[in-house]
Amino acid sequence: MKRKQIILSLLTLFAINMYSQERIGTENCFGERVIQDYLSCFGDWPEMHRDSHLMFADSDTRQMAASFLNTYADSTTTDTIFFILVRNLWFTRSNMINIIPGDTLFHAELKGRGTFEAFRTPFLNMYGKTYWEDLCTWDKAHISEPSKDIILDGCYYYITRLIYHKGQLQSADFCGNGNKLEYEPEWFAPDKLDTLPYPKDKQWPNLL
């Protein structure tokens, strides 16, 4: 009997240890930490904080974004990651977010009554070469600083640049721009979209 209790105790300790390691692994996940860092960037912009949280309120969308970022994590070099939040100002609600850690971006778009569409695609399939150059040089003079003035129509692009070194956040910058024709892609190719499917019979949260 005593031997069975010892074995049971050992199995219990093993299970607790495995759960703890899994939890720590999830909490230390590079992609999840990047999302948390991004969501913490809007101290003076409460409306942006709300909209950004909305984009990651769906757990499956958030997991897709974190997994995408994990594939770009590099422990030996400096990683620069851009988040571009696109607000459709007709409805004063965010409707798209693009995450760019390299030449490929993750795109999540709020559709209909709280559902998302997500895909990966080359940066130049969504935006133009001029935008790529301005982002790479972080040329705020061309991108333009964001404005708190009310804009009555069109979309506005809020860009957050996060720089990591050895997996740790080094700096965070913020700027934005309105619609610019030179930032549009030369040609959009639907066949270059790598659609990320959601689970069947998914129960969507009420985001709207």
Side-chain angles (χ1 to χ4, degrees):
M1 185 71 179
K2 192 174 183 180
R3 186 178 177 183
K4 286 183 179 179
Q5 287 179 333
I6 292 172
I7 293 172
L8 184 61
S9 298
L10 288 173
L11 287 172
T12 302
L13 286 172
F14 176 76
I16 291 171
N17 186 47
M18 288 296 291
Y19 172 76
S20 298
Q21 287 181 1
E22 183 180 347
R23 186 176 175 186
I24 290 170
T26 302
E27 289 174 351
N28 291 334
C29 162
F30 178 73
E32 179 59 34
R33 283 193 290 116
V34 171
I35 292 171
Q36 286 290 353
D37 290 338
Y38 167 70
L39 294 176
S40 301
C41 285
F42 302 109
D44 296 328
W45 293 75
E47 67 277 17
M48 296 305 302
H49 183 76
R50 179 203 67 209
D51 289 346
S52 295
H53 272 275
L54 175 67
M55 299 304 290
F56 291 111
D58 177 67
S59 60
D60 289 298
T61 302
R62 188 175 182 129
Q63 186 177 10
M64 286 179 186
S67 297
F68 173 77
L69 285 165
N70 284 340
T71 63
Y72 283 85
D74 191 322
S75 60
T76 60
T77 62
T78 298
D79 302 304
T80 301
I81 300 170
F82 294 98
F83 284 72
I84 301 178
L85 179 70
V86 186
R87 297 183 79 199
N88 187 327
L89 297 171
W90 280 109
F91 304 102
T92 63
R93 187 178 292 278
S94 60
N95 63 357
M96 283 185 288
I97 195 162
N98 295 305
I99 304 173
I100 303 108
D103 60 359
T104 302
L105 62 82
F106 169 87
H107 174 92
E109 184 172 353
L110 185 61
K111 311 279 283 186
R113 294 190 60 79
T115 61
F116 281 93
E117 175 183 80
F119 57 77
R120 292 183 295 251
T121 194
F123 180 91
L124 295 179
N125 196 40
M126 289 289 290
Y127 298 107
K129 185 179 178 183
T130 303
Y131 205 10
W132 175 257
E133 291 171 348
D134 286 350
L135 287 178
C136 286
T137 57
W138 198 235
D139 190 345
K140 290 186 179 181
H142 287 93
I143 297 172
S144 83
E145 293 287 349
S147 171
K148 288 189 177 182
D149 295 337
I150 296 173
I151 303 172
L152 297 178
D153 60 359
C155 293
Y156 208 78
Y157 300 77
Y158 294 88
I159 313 158
T160 304
R161 182 184 69 166
L162 304 174
I163 298 178
Y164 290 83
H165 183 63
K166 295 184 178 179
Q168 299 302 314
L169 182 65
Q170 298 296 302
S171 67
D173 301 286
F174 182 61
C175 71
N177 64 271
N179 289 325
K180 290 187 175 183
L181 290 178
E182 63 269 33
Y183 286 169
E184 297 294 323
E186 292 183 11
W187 181 262
F188 176 75
D191 58 298
K192 291 185 179 179
L193 301 185
D194 179 13
T195 303
L196 302 173
Y198 284 87
K200 277 190 175 182
D201 303 320
K202 175 177 169 53
Q203 297 297 308
W204 294 95
N206 183 16
L207 300 177
L208 297 178

